[in-house]
Amino acid sequence: KDLGEIYRQSVQSTELFEHIEVIHGNNNIHNKYIELLKSVESELLSFTRPPFAATTNKMVSEQEDIVMSLIKRGVKFRGIYEVNESSNRTMFRIILNSLEAGADFRIAPKLPLKMFIFDQETLLLTDKSSLSIGNELSQTAIKQKTTVDGYVTLFEFFWENALEYKDWLKENEELMERKLASYSK
């Protein structure tokens, strides 16, 4: 009886579905990400790992420039980067750019997903698209407070357990030097 009442009430609620947008294709994802970055007022949280929707140098530069301008104007940025032996050139570029900008970031060997949280209001989840062939991605933008709050809690858990760059580098200096040397060739 109690479950039946909960079900009847949930059928009448469309709150969650009114706040979900699914985006397909790397260009569309890049454009949505740029739109959300430009709207950030106070805080940006991220789990950064492949795959990446920015597939051209122009797209990568546009994203980096906006993030760096946010940091310069005082937006609180906290990022956790997945870095391990299989990390590609992009991850090491992100680390170097973050160091240069004075970004607040930490490193984890593995992250459960790729996400961004904008002003604790909008959650962006990105993954390989199940609707396309190749390297196209899909992305879900969620503006539902309870869901966003849950992912903020997940972020905070990983933030507490990830390593600050200087501590990570003590344990991984050889990896960093080897990867950077291989990319400079």
Side-chain angles (χ1 to χ4, degrees):
K1 183 178 176 180
D2 291 339
L3 288 175
E5 183 57 32
I6 291 170
Y7 173 76
R8 280 188 288 289
Q9 289 177 6
S10 70
V11 170
Q12 297 169 6
S13 174
T14 58
E15 176 187 0
L16 183 61
F17 302 109
E18 291 173 358
H19 295 74
I20 294 178
E21 178 183 4
V22 179
I23 303 114
H24 296 281
N26 294 351
N27 287 334
N28 294 331
I29 289 170
H30 168 75
N31 293 334
K32 182 65 174 186
Y33 180 63
I34 293 298
E35 173 191 322
L36 289 168
L37 280 177
K38 288 180 177 180
S39 72
V40 173
E41 294 179 11
S42 62
E43 182 181 57
L44 175 62
L45 306 176
S46 76
F47 278 0
T48 303
R49 67 171 200 166
F52 298 103
T55 55
T56 67
N57 287 335
K58 181 181 176 186
M59 292 166 92
V60 170
S61 293
E62 184 179 12
Q63 290 180 8
E64 289 174 348
D65 290 347
I66 293 171
V67 170
M68 297 311 153
S69 71
L70 292 173
I71 293 168
K72 287 178 184 170
R73 74 172 163 91
V75 168
K76 184 178 180 181
F77 169 81
R78 291 189 298 150
I80 304 171
Y81 305 150
E82 179 180 292
V83 182
N84 53 48
E85 188 63 44
S86 64
S87 294
N88 63 20
R89 173 186 307 231
T90 302
M91 289 309 303
F92 291 92
R93 178 179 173 173
I94 290 168
I95 289 172
L96 295 175
N97 287 339
S98 295
L99 287 168
E100 184 180 316
D104 194 6
F105 70 94
R106 295 186 179 180
I107 297 179
K110 186 77 177 147
L111 292 171
L113 49 89
K114 179 181 180 103
M115 75 172 183
F116 301 91
I117 302 172
F118 304 84
D119 291 325
Q120 295 198 17
E121 294 175 0
T122 304
L123 168 67
L124 206 55
L125 300 171
T126 306
D127 207 345
K128 290 181 182 172
S129 178
S130 60
L131 298 178
S132 68
I133 298 172
N135 293 328
E136 285 290 306
L137 302 176
S138 66
Q139 187 175 70
T140 306
I142 301 170
K143 291 184 178 184
Q144 200 275 336
K145 186 70 175 144
T146 305
T147 303
V148 174
D149 288 348
Y151 280 90
V152 169
T153 301
L154 177 68
F155 176 87
E156 295 299 343
F157 172 80
F158 272 85
W159 183 258
E160 291 302 317
N161 290 288
L163 292 175
E164 291 186 29
Y165 175 71
K166 63 181 171 48
D167 296 328
W168 177 85
L169 191 58
K170 287 177 191 173
E171 298 175 16
N172 295 280
E173 189 168 6
E174 183 273 329
L175 171 65
M176 186 74 168
E177 288 176 5
R178 185 169 34 84
K179 288 287 192 168
L180 291 177
S182 72
Y183 296 141
S184 66
K185 294 177 182 176

